Amino acid sequence: MIRLTHDAPPPLCYNVCKQIAAGETARQTRMEKGRDHPLMLNKTTFTPFTHGEIRPQGWLLRQLRIQADGLSGHLDKVWPDIRDSRWIGGDRDGWERVPYWLDGFVPLAYLLDDDDLKARAKRYIDGILARQEEDGWICPCAPEERDAYDVWAFMLILKVLALYADLSGDERIPDAMARALKCLKTHLHHHTLFGWGSARWYECLIPIFWLYERTGEEWLVDLCYRLRTQGMDYTKVFEPYRDTTPQRVWTFDTHVVNMAMCLKQEALMSRLTGGDPDAFALKAHELLKKYHGMAVGHFTGDECVAGTSPVQGSELCSVVEAMYSFEQMLAVSGNPHWADEAERLAFNALPATTSADMWTHQYDQQTNQIRCQRLPEEHVVFGTNGPESHLFGLEPNFGCCTANFNQGWPKLAMSAFMRAQDGVASCLIVPSEVRFAQGEAQVTVALKTDYPFKGAARYTVTTDRPAAFTLYIRIPAAAKSALVNGEAVTPGEFFPVCRTWEGEQQIDVSFAFACELTERPGDMRCLWRGPLLYSVAIEEQWERREYEDKGVERKYPYCDYEITPQSAWNYAFTDAHFDVAEREIGAYPFDGKDAPVEVTASLAPVDWPEAYGVCLPAPRSRRPTGPAQRVRMIPYGCTNLRMTEMPMAEK
């Protein structure tokens, strides 16, 4: 997966490159603690930057600013479940919603270096720490409520506290986390995991590892194994995999968000047990895509896995959680495949399920989504979700996605660069820069690019004194071909540049994209060009729905919306010839009215009816009902209404 440049690298650099390429992992010794053997935790291939070293630039910086100016940046002002939460002494939700929101809001505040956002995040952290019980219990419930309290929220808030400590330097956090984890360990002696805590136990490994790397205390390792013993083992879900046919039955072990989260289970455990960190996830992800795959590269789940029909939905939480799983697995194994998967969702599925200004979002997105209006109760297409799940709004269906969707972009930005054993890796191709120390040298690596909309990228490496290290440049598998400083390189790999850097040096990279019709189930097709999926640009009419329900007000700009089509959508491809037009990225990078790139395709109208607010999964006939037309197609992520999977028209 890694090859060397033609530069003549020093022997040390060459040997380290060979070690990483061979998949060798080092062991990290912590402390003896009086034992006859050291405590150990397998090192990750890459180490995320977590102390504010990364700064977003270009369109990514604009996207984060849009998020801060939209719903994500205002939930603590307008949504009672955050504003009046029990976590800070109120009377509203005291479970996962505040932790979910902080999980994205905290990195958003620090990536933007926004004093107001940071102060608002601190208010919540202060409130949570102030309410921690003497025995370490940290969730907002009375002692008599603990037996029935699902400790998933306990795990989630510890992830948040670790992230906040890294970014803010808050010295209170390690002690608070140690007390909380000791309390959790005692709690599990008498109250085994159940519900969401059982389904998501591996998420708690992340804060446990964080604390273990600072203390080396063996009881933390014991807690990891206790969680694994009491939690669901997803290796058994996929061996053999029996959930190949979607059922209208809600279960934990087919829940789409659990499927997205569990992909990292074995990668995380491999830090304790060794073994291949990728094997389980590669198998599980392939099975999910085979039996429940979407054109966008994700898998359906509305609410549980739902097959391959283009009118089935997938929950927004599953998109951001799958991205996070891929980012975690990328750090552990260094496999560039996971970066490709993270980008596929970030550039397509994530922006498609929010409005361009990020003031509103869906619960479920559909591949072929011709309108977003409330479905008749007796004709809900979604497996176990309600008739308003695909509406854009404040909290359509359930409010978990309202709180959780905002982790997607900030965590992507924080994974743009990671430390390698002998330098730095450009893991995700997004405009950003990283500043770090390499020995005594202060180094800045800046990536300027309009990727994924365009194929050019320039790295500028600046050092205040000579520094020898490797810059690993990831070449996306989505590129048809690629050049680094004019030299052909292989897509789908990390390309290492080993040299002594001095002053300011630049590396120019270019990616070539090709329009390709890829096959989908039912003899359908979808159009990819490089990292972007394309859909028919359907003209839209938005209608506001302002009301109050259960004490929650919906008013502009955080009201609900219904969207109806104002142009044709029932098409089939006639050929594989496409014209591409690129333009400057506008104020809203994923705005369909001003998409940064569009494709003109030859499409023919076909007999493709709509029934009860949803188009049929396939047309009645593939015979054209009129002449072929030149139709505008735009990136899937720029759409709200869309036709993405379409057949080839009969000749």
Side-chain angles (χ1 to χ4, degrees):
M1 291 183 287
I2 300 175
R3 63 182 294 272
L4 296 175
T5 67
H6 291 164
D7 292 21
L12 175 61
C13 177
Y14 179 73
N15 289 336
V16 173
C17 289
K18 287 203 304 181
Q19 289 173 3
I20 297 174
E24 296 180 11
T25 58
R27 305 282 294 188
Q28 187 173 18
T29 302
R30 284 304 170 194
M31 56 180 63
E32 292 281 352
K33 290 290 184 182
R35 304 180 66 86
D36 58 1
H37 63 277
L39 300 177
M40 289 183 169
L41 186 66
N42 285 325
K43 289 190 69 173
T44 58
T45 301
F46 297 137
T47 304
F49 289 102
T50 56
H51 293 80
E53 299 97 332
I54 292 178
R55 286 288 180 262
Q57 305 292 330
W59 71 259
L60 180 60
L61 177 60
R62 292 207 296 277
Q63 189 71 3
L64 292 172
R65 188 70 255 174
I66 291 167
Q67 178 171 327
D69 293 340
L71 186 61
S72 174
H74 288 81
L75 281 177
D76 58 327
K77 300 179 180 179
V78 304
W79 198 33
D81 279 356
I82 303 295
R83 185 190 64 210
D84 306 320
S85 171
R86 292 179 66 185
W87 286 96
I88 55 170
D91 59 359
R92 299 289 294 212
D93 181 77
W95 194 52
E96 69 177 4
R97 293 187 178 179
V98 158
Y100 261 157
W101 173 68
L102 287 172
D103 201 26
F105 187 78
V106 166
L108 179 67
Y110 282 87
L111 284 163
L112 293 175
D113 195 20
D114 187 303
D115 289 339
D116 175 62
L117 299 183
K118 288 190 282 188
R120 287 155 58 194
K122 184 177 185 298
R123 171 176 172 258
Y124 278 79
I125 299 298
D126 288 347
I128 292 165
L129 294 179
R131 289 168 177 79
Q132 186 174 19
E133 302 288 348
E134 289 187 9
D135 67 352
W137 185 269
I138 200 167
C139 297
C141 71
E144 62 271 17
E145 296 175 313
R146 290 189 189 182
D147 291 359
Y149 193 89
D150 189 326
V151 295
W152 156 236
F154 200 114
M155 304 171 185
L156 185 53
I157 198 61
L158 294 181
K159 284 172 56 180
V160 170
L161 291 176
L163 181 60
Y164 183 78
D166 282 337
L167 291 169
S168 70
D170 193 321
E171 297 179 352
R172 300 172 295 173
I173 301 299
D175 177 66
M177 288 182 61
R179 292 168 54 219
L181 285 168
K182 286 179 180 177
C183 180
L184 178 63
K185 187 171 183 289
T186 301
H187 182 77
L188 294 180
H189 290 166
H190 308 289
H191 306 90
T192 56
L193 290 175
F194 63 88
W196 298 104
S198 176
R200 299 173 179 179
W201 61 271
Y202 41 83
E203 298 287 333
C204 199
L205 298 179
I206 296 169
I208 293 174
F209 290 167
W210 183 93
L211 188 60
Y212 179 83
E213 288 173 336
R214 286 154 178 79
T215 68
E217 295 178 353
E218 190 174 6
W219 66 269
L220 290 165
V221 176
D222 294 338
L223 178 56
C224 291
Y225 282 104
R226 187 176 300 278
L227 289 166
R228 186 176 72 161
T229 299
Q230 295 189 12
M232 288 178 58
D233 182 358
Y234 286 89
T235 63
K236 293 181 171 60
V237 172
F238 291 95
E239 185 59 54
Y241 186 58
R242 299 181 56 82
D243 299 309
T244 58
T245 303
Q247 306 290 329
R248 285 183 173 261
V249 177
W250 195 102
T251 69
F252 277 106
D253 47 359
T254 61
H255 190 276
V256 66
V257 183
N258 293 343
M259 295 295 97
M261 288 178 165
C262 81
L263 294 174
K264 59 181 171 293
Q265 171 187 299
E266 291 303 289
L268 292 172
M269 278 303 300
S270 73
R271 297 198 64 194
L272 289 171
T273 61
D276 186 343
D278 285 335
F280 164 73
L282 288 170
K283 176 181 179 178
H285 195 220
E286 191 60 34
L287 286 168
L288 287 168
K289 290 192 294 183
K290 177 180 179 180
Y291 294 106
H292 308 288
M294 303 172 70
V296 77
H298 193 41
F299 38 89
T300 58
D302 54 15
E303 180 125 328
C304 298
V305 290
T308 59
S309 168
V311 298
Q312 296 304 141
S314 193
E315 183 184 338
L316 173 51
C317 276
S318 74
V319 173
V320 296
E321 292 295 353
M323 287 172 56
Y324 183 61
S325 289
F326 298 145
E327 291 153 9
Q328 287 284 309
M329 293 187 291
L330 172 63
V332 172
S333 73
N335 188 345
H337 170 76
W338 302 124
D340 289 316
E341 294 297 336
E343 287 184 353
R344 191 189 303 269
L345 298 188
F347 301 151
N348 297 282
L350 176 57
T353 197
T354 65
S355 58
D357 65 3
M358 297 184 74
W359 266 106
T360 183
H361 73 284
Q362 294 178 292
Y363 193 83
D364 287 334
Q365 64 175 288
Q366 299 167 290
T367 301
N368 288 351
Q369 185 169 277
I370 62 165
R371 69 174 66 240
C372 296
Q373 287 183 300
R374 194 180 195 281
L375 302 175
E377 291 283 353
E378 64 276 15
H379 294 287
V380 176
V381 69
F382 307 121
T384 55
N385 282 342
E388 297 186 348
S389 299
H390 63 322
L391 267 59
F392 284 78
L394 175 64
E395 49 175 322
N397 202 62
F398 295 124
C400 53
C401 294
T402 307
N404 193 25
F405 85 89
N406 71 119
Q407 73 164 296
W409 288 115
K411 289 188 177 179
L412 182 85
M414 290 187 65
S415 299
F417 289 93
M418 296 189 193
R419 285 300 303 246
Q421 293 176 30
D422 61 332
V424 64
S426 175
C427 293
L428 299 171
I429 312 304
V430 288
S432 52
E433 73 172 32
V434 61
R435 300 179 182 182
F436 61 97
Q438 184 70 25
E440 295 183 355
Q442 295 298 314
V443 180
T444 299
V445 180
L447 171 57
K448 183 177 182 181
T449 184
D450 285 341
Y451 188 88
F453 307 107
K454 300 176 184 178
R458 170 171 287 179
Y459 291 87
T460 301
V461 181
T462 307
T463 64
D464 65 350
R465 66 193 68 189
F469 64 90
T470 304
L471 170 61
Y472 292 93
I473 299 174
R474 190 183 126 258
I475 310 300
K480 198 72 174 176
S481 60
L483 301 173
V484 175
N485 281 346
E487 177 186 354
V489 295
T490 305
E493 298 182 354
F494 279 99
F495 184 86
V497 182
C498 306
R499 65 172 64 162
T500 297
W501 306 84
E502 186 172 1
E504 180 178 294
Q505 296 176 289
Q506 293 182 336
I507 298 176
D508 288 316
V509 184
S510 62
F511 310 115
F513 305 146
C515 291
E516 296 181 301
L517 288 177
T518 61
E519 295 185 359
R520 291 289 301 152
D523 197 26
M524 303 281 270
R525 304 288 189 276
C526 61
L527 173 62
W528 282 89
R529 178 178 178 265
L532 297 179
L533 177 64
Y534 285 78
S535 305
V536 172
I538 302 174
E539 295 181 12
E540 309 164 349
Q541 179 173 310
W542 289 59
E543 181 179 347
R544 296 179 189 172
R545 297 178 62 210
E546 297 184 293
Y547 61 100
E548 183 176 311
D549 180 39
K550 299 177 182 177
V552 180
E553 188 178 41
R554 291 145 170 92
K555 67 178 182 180
Y556 180 81
Y558 52 93
C559 56
D560 292 355
Y561 297 89
E562 292 190 339
I563 312 174
T564 53
Q566 302 297 301
S567 62
W569 51 263
N570 48 337
Y571 290 113
F573 292 106
T574 64
D575 57 44
H577 300 290
F578 306 97
D579 297 320
V580 179
E582 295 178 345
R583 57 178 59 89
E584 294 299 313
I585 301 174
Y588 294 96
F590 292 93
D591 185 358
K593 294 179 181 178
D594 190 25
V597 59
E598 64 181 53
V599 172
T600 304
S602 177
L603 306 181
V606 292
D607 181 12
W608 200 335
E610 173 185 354
Y612 306 108
V614 177
C615 68
L616 297 185
R620 286 176 177 162
S621 170
R622 302 180 181 206
R623 185 179 300 277
T625 59
Q629 306 168 19
R630 301 296 287 170
V631 177
R632 177 174 176 255
M633 300 185 72
I634 59 175
Y636 180 98
C638 295
T639 64
N640 303 297
L641 302 183
R642 66 186 76 92
M643 284 297 289
T644 312
E645 285 190 31
M646 298 176 286
M648 297 300 298
E650 293 181 4
K651 298 294 184 183

